[in-house]
Amino acid sequence: MSTSNTTELRVGVVGAGIMGADHVARLTGTIAGAHVSAIVEPDAARAAAAAQLAPAAKIFTRVQDALAADAVDAVVIATPGGFHEPVLLPVLEAGLPVLCEKPLTQDPESSWRVVEAEQKAGRKLIQVGFMRRFDPQYRQLRDLIASGRAGELLMLHGVHRNPSVPDGYTQPMLINDSVVHEFDVVSWLAGASITSVEVKYAKRNALSPAHLREPILVLMELDNGVLVDVEMNVSIQFGYQVATEAVFQRGVARIGQPEGLQLWQDTHFRLNEHTSYVTRFKQAYDIEVQDWADAARRGAIAGPSAWDGFKVAVACAAGVKALDTAGPVPVELPETPEFYAV
Ligand code: ISE
C-alpha cells in the first residue's frame, strides 16, 4: 500500500472502454478515499480520453508495468472477459486487491486457475463486479425473501432487455456477457445453487443482428426447488430494462419497473425508461465501488468472491451448451474449498 502523504487508495483501472471510463469517472468524482493513479490501456486514443477524466493518472499499456512502477495499491479490471486472466494473475502475485468486472473469466478452467492463484496468495483479494447485488431494489427483494414475510419463494420471472448490442456481440455472449448476471443474482437472491440450465428459442426478432438467434428464454432449476425463467433479449429497441417478479406462497413482488417523473400530456401518459446499464445500475455501481474501496483499504473484499465467479463460470458453460441442446443441461460444481467456505 502507498506510503506517500495520502492515505487514499491508488487505483489502477485496466481497460478504458465503456465500463472502464465509467469507473474512472466514478473513482474521480464520486468515490471517497480512492483515486485513479493509473490507466492501463493499449489503445492510445481510449487511454487519452480516459485520462481527461483523471488528469493525474499515469498511462501504461500493460498491467505489469504499472505494478513494477509501484503506481497502484489496488486494481479495477474492466477489459473484455477474455483478457481477465492475464491481468488477474500478476495482480494476485503482487498481492493487491482487485475489483474484476464480470465475468471472472470466460470458462471454468481459467476461473479455476484464478481461484487457485488466489488461494496461493493467502487471502481473498478478488471481488467480482456483479453489481446487481448492490442495487437497492435487489437488496430489498433479497431481504423480503430472507424474512419469509410473504412465505416461501416459489418462482422468479426475469426480463433482461437491451435495446441493441455492438457488432462484436456473438451468440454465446447472450449467456457469457448477459445472462451471466442472472446466474449470480438469482443464486444470491434465493440462497440456493443452480442445478440445471435450459434454453428455449422464441420467434426470432427480424431486427436482431443477422448472426444472432434471439430472444431466448433461459430456464434454471435451483437446488431448493425454486424455478427461474429469464427472457434474454438484446434487440428490444425501446430501451434498457432489467426487471424481476418473485412469486411467493402468499404474495408477489416486483423490482425494476420504470420509475421517476410521470407525465400526462396530450392524452398520453409518459414514464422514461433507461437506455443503458450505465444509468440503470448507476447507484449499484457507486455503492459497489465505494464498498470495495473501503474494504480494500482494510485488506478485505465486500461482495461476490472469486468462488462466486467460478460458480457462475460453470453455469455459463452449461448455458452455452444449452444454446445447442434440447432440454436441461446439468450444472455440476465441485465442493467449495475451505478457503471460500463462509
Ligand atoms: C453488458 O456487458 C452488461 O454487463 C449489461 O449489464 C448487460 O445488460 C448487457 O447485456 C451486457 O452486454
Side-chain angles (χ1 to χ4, degrees):
M1 201 123 318
S2 168
T3 50
S4 65
N5 55 8
T6 168
T7 57
E8 286 208 345
L9 191 73
R10 299 172 307 151
V11 180
V13 177
V14 183
I18 299 179
M19 259 341 284
D22 194 51
H23 284 319
V24 170
R26 170 172 297 106
L27 281 156
T28 306
T30 309
I31 303 302
H35 67 271
V36 181
S37 58
I39 293 167
V40 181
E41 169 60 64
D43 181 302
R46 278 190 179 175
Q52 300 241 314
L53 303 166
K58 292 191 184 125
I59 311 274
F60 297 90
T61 51
R62 296 176 345 129
V63 75
Q64 286 87 344
D65 299 335
L67 297 171
D70 186 25
V72 299
D73 303 317
V75 171
V76 170
I77 302 178
T79 60
F83 299 101
H84 288 183
E85 185 188 7
V87 178
L88 280 164
L89 295 179
V91 173
L92 288 175
E93 208 167 313
L96 298 188
V98 50
L99 176 62
C100 177
E101 271 301 335
K102 54 82 295 241
L104 177 62
T105 68
Q106 293 285 66
D107 53 62
E109 294 72 27
S110 51
S111 286
W112 184 256
R113 288 194 290 273
V114 168
V115 298
E116 282 194 324
E118 186 179 53
Q119 290 174 71
K120 214 180 263 172
R123 71 179 172 93
K124 287 182 195 155
L125 290 165
I126 301 173
Q127 182 174 325
V128 183
F130 290 122
M131 76 298 186
R132 292 189 188 180
R133 294 193 190 197
F134 297 85
D135 177 71
Q137 292 189 35
Y138 272 102
R139 287 186 164 185
Q140 272 181 290
L141 179 57
R142 185 171 189 253
D143 290 347
L144 176 66
I145 294 169
S147 75
R149 262 186 295 141
E152 273 192 316
L153 177 69
L154 308 177
M155 302 172 83
L156 291 168
H157 304 292
V159 297
H160 185 166
R161 297 174 175 142
N162 293 193
S164 60
V165 278
D167 290 344
Y169 189 99
T170 58
Q171 189 75 9
M173 286 172 80
L174 286 165
I175 301 293
N176 287 332
D177 197 54
S178 298
V179 178
V180 62
H181 286 290
E182 272 81 14
F183 286 150
D184 179 66
V185 88
V186 303
S187 314
W188 177 77
L189 283 173
S193 294
I194 300 168
T195 56
S196 77
V197 182
E198 181 173 358
V199 171
K200 295 216 168 266
Y201 288 89
K203 179 176 164 68
R204 185 175 176 277
N205 184 350
L207 300 175
S208 300
H211 62 283
L212 293 184
R213 184 172 167 209
E214 57 97 28
I216 57 173
L217 189 68
V218 181
L219 297 170
M220 297 168 221
E221 293 175 306
L222 306 190
D223 64 359
N224 63 354
V226 169
L227 183 67
V228 183
D229 64 84
V230 178
E231 172 199 322
M232 187 67 238
N233 191 328
V234 297
S235 309
I236 198 70
Q237 315 288 322
F238 75 82
Y240 183 88
Q241 193 174 67
V242 170
T244 301
E245 182 173 285
V247 180
F248 297 88
Q249 286 175 300
R250 294 192 304 275
V252 165
R254 281 189 185 160
I255 59 168
Q257 303 306 308
E259 53 186 342
L261 180 79
Q262 302 182 6
L263 174 66
W264 286 261
Q265 192 184 12
D266 299 333
T267 73
H268 286 279
F269 171 62
R270 193 183 164 102
L271 194 53
N272 287 348
E273 189 46 282
H274 289 280
T275 54
S276 128
Y277 48 89
V278 174
T279 60
R280 164 65 181 85
F281 288 109
K282 178 186 182 306
Q283 212 185 343
Y285 287 123
D286 288 351
I287 299 170
E288 173 193 56
V289 177
Q290 186 66 65
D291 286 4
W292 168 75
D294 292 346
R297 294 168 75 191
R298 302 191 300 271
I301 61 168
S305 69
W307 186 249
D308 294 313
F310 170 77
K311 288 194 291 186
V312 169
V314 174
C316 281
V320 169
K321 190 166 171 203
L323 287 170
D324 297 314
T325 307
V329 175
V331 176
E332 280 152 12
L333 287 169
E335 227 177 278
T336 309
E338 188 69 24
F339 184 86
Y340 294 104
V342 182

